[in-house]
Amino acid sequence: MLLAVLTFMLLVTAAIRRVPVFDAFREGAAQALPLLKTILPTLAVFSAAMALFRESGAAEVLETALSPALKALGIDPPLVPLLLSRPFSGGAAVAALSDIFTQYGPDSRTGLTASVLLGSSETIFYSLALYFGSVGVKKTRFTVPVALFCMLVSIASGLLLSSLFFPA
Amino acid sequence: MNVMLFLLLGAGIAASLVSGRDALASLQSGASAAVDTALRMSGVYLLWMGLLNIAERAGVMRALSRALRPALRLLFGNTGEAEEAISMNLAANMLGMGNAATPYGLKAMRILNESNPRPGVATDAMCVLLCVNASCLELYPASLAGLRQSFGSAMPYAVVVPTLFASLLSTVSAVVLCRICCSRS
């Protein structure tokens, strides 16, 4: 609703400023295509690996082994691949999320919690390597501990808020 | 990343040898699912990057970055030319499009590094940029909502508010910690 209003306001503003809306949209959307090209290979390899990991029964073994710890932390076992891959790769995390959606449905408790966890966290190690690597920075000072701590905050609050918003 | 893939594949193949399940069929169906997911994602990206570009051409992003300027000054100090790239980076991040945010983030890093007195060592502004990125506030997770919708969710937006709060807490802790760390050094 709010988004529809905002989009409408954007169109009106664009019209007043004489922006060629069609051309501007095409120009922006065209930039999405190279992104797709970069995401797809990562998505493919992790999607395949995660499907194998789950269907082979390896996931079950891991989940049984971890289940006392996971229960204590209030983490649903199917969320483990998502949580483990999230700091390293957005593509792998999206692969894990779609796997959960296919298995449990996007509106199941697992699906909802997984959505919140993915939405509220970032690919911290990937960004660190890419951003600092691009300008040759080796000494990152306080960045890694702060980023890690924030990741823990978002996971903990994501789990807590999910159990508040989506009671079993 | 390499270690993780190795472990996933290694454990998967070992387990399928034990259980006698068809490993290649699983790999194949997983890879096909990736194409499916990428197509769903690309619809979202096409739409939002198109709209964002209209916003940029109409001067909305510039107005937004002007409005954000006091907050950015407080967080980053005076970053001069990097300011616009930083605000575009944060705007795309707040819409849940990390991939679209990356080019702006890299541009901001490049500009910040030009005035870096100690090359190879991160400046305060660089550390803050990374920390805020790592915790980024999600105003509206566009790609997440789009992905949920494409998987047939009856309530794709149900996750928006908890996501907003969880990421808000994370961003607040990033800002507080950065302020402590920056003033110390």
Side-chain angles (χ1 to χ4, degrees), chain A residues 25-41 43, chain B residues 38-50 53 97 99-100 103:
Chain A
F25 187 96
R26 274 173 36 110
E27 198 181 274
Q31 292 169 16
L33 294 177
L35 286 184
L36 185 63
K37 213 175 119 189
T38 32
I39 301 170
L40 188 53
L43 205 56
Chain B
L39 283 178
R40 295 166 198 260
M41 295 276 289
S42 57
V44 182
Y45 271 92
L46 285 166
L47 174 65
W48 282 92
M49 290 185 72
N53 197 50
M97 298 191 294
N99 289 298

Side-chain angles (χ1 to χ4, degrees), chain A:
Chain A
M1 195 46 209
L2 179 66
L3 279 172
V5 174
L6 285 176
T7 312
F8 182 72
M9 279 164 55
L10 173 64
L11 283 178
V12 173
T13 317
I16 293 171
R17 304 230 166 122
R18 305 243 176 268
V19 172
V21 179
F22 173 63
D23 299 300
F25 187 96
R26 274 173 36 110
E27 198 181 274
Q31 292 169 16
L33 294 177
L35 286 184
L36 185 63
K37 213 175 119 189
T38 32
I39 301 170
L40 188 53
T42 318
L43 205 56
V45 70
F46 278 100
S47 195
M50 278 173 192
L52 172 68
F53 191 70
R54 175 169 42 76
E55 285 170 17
S56 66
E60 253 169 87
V61 176
L62 181 72
E63 282 162 16
T64 323
L66 289 178
S67 73
L70 292 177
K71 205 167 269 173
L73 291 168
I75 299 172
D76 209 4
L79 297 174
V80 172
L82 175 72
L83 287 174
L84 288 181
S85 58
R86 184 55 175 151
F88 301 98
S89 159
V94 168
L97 183 72
S98 349
D99 203 49
I100 290 173
F101 283 174
T102 321
Q103 291 298 302
Y104 304 91
D107 296 336
S108 64
R109 265 204 89 215
T110 312
L112 288 164
T113 309
S115 305
V116 173
L117 289 176
L118 183 97
S120 58
S121 53
E122 287 287 333
T123 54
I124 55 177
F125 291 117
Y126 171 77
S127 307
L128 278 167
L130 186 69
Y131 281 37
F132 281 134
S134 74
V135 290
V137 164
K138 298 245 161 51
K139 298 222 164 91
T140 60
R141 297 165 59 204
F142 56 85
T143 315
V144 175
V146 171
L148 269 177
F149 180 78
C150 293
M151 178 105 197
L152 286 180
V153 169
S154 65
I155 289 173
S157 48
L159 287 170
L160 195 70
L161 285 162
S162 297
S163 63
L164 283 177
F165 274 76
F166 318 116

Side-chain angles (χ1 to χ4, degrees), chain B residues 21-70:
Chain B
R21 278 176 246 190
D22 189 349
L24 273 182
S26 305
L27 284 172
Q28 181 59 62
S29 70
S32 305
V35 177
D36 199 48
T37 306
L39 283 178
R40 295 166 198 260
M41 295 276 289
S42 57
V44 182
Y45 271 92
L46 285 166
L47 174 65
W48 282 92
M49 290 185 72
L51 288 176
L52 268 184
N53 197 50
I54 295 179
E56 200 179 350
R57 297 261 302 251
V60 177
M61 299 309 281
R62 221 170 309 132
L64 202 67
S65 81
R66 249 200 305 275
L68 278 175
R69 193 166 292 168

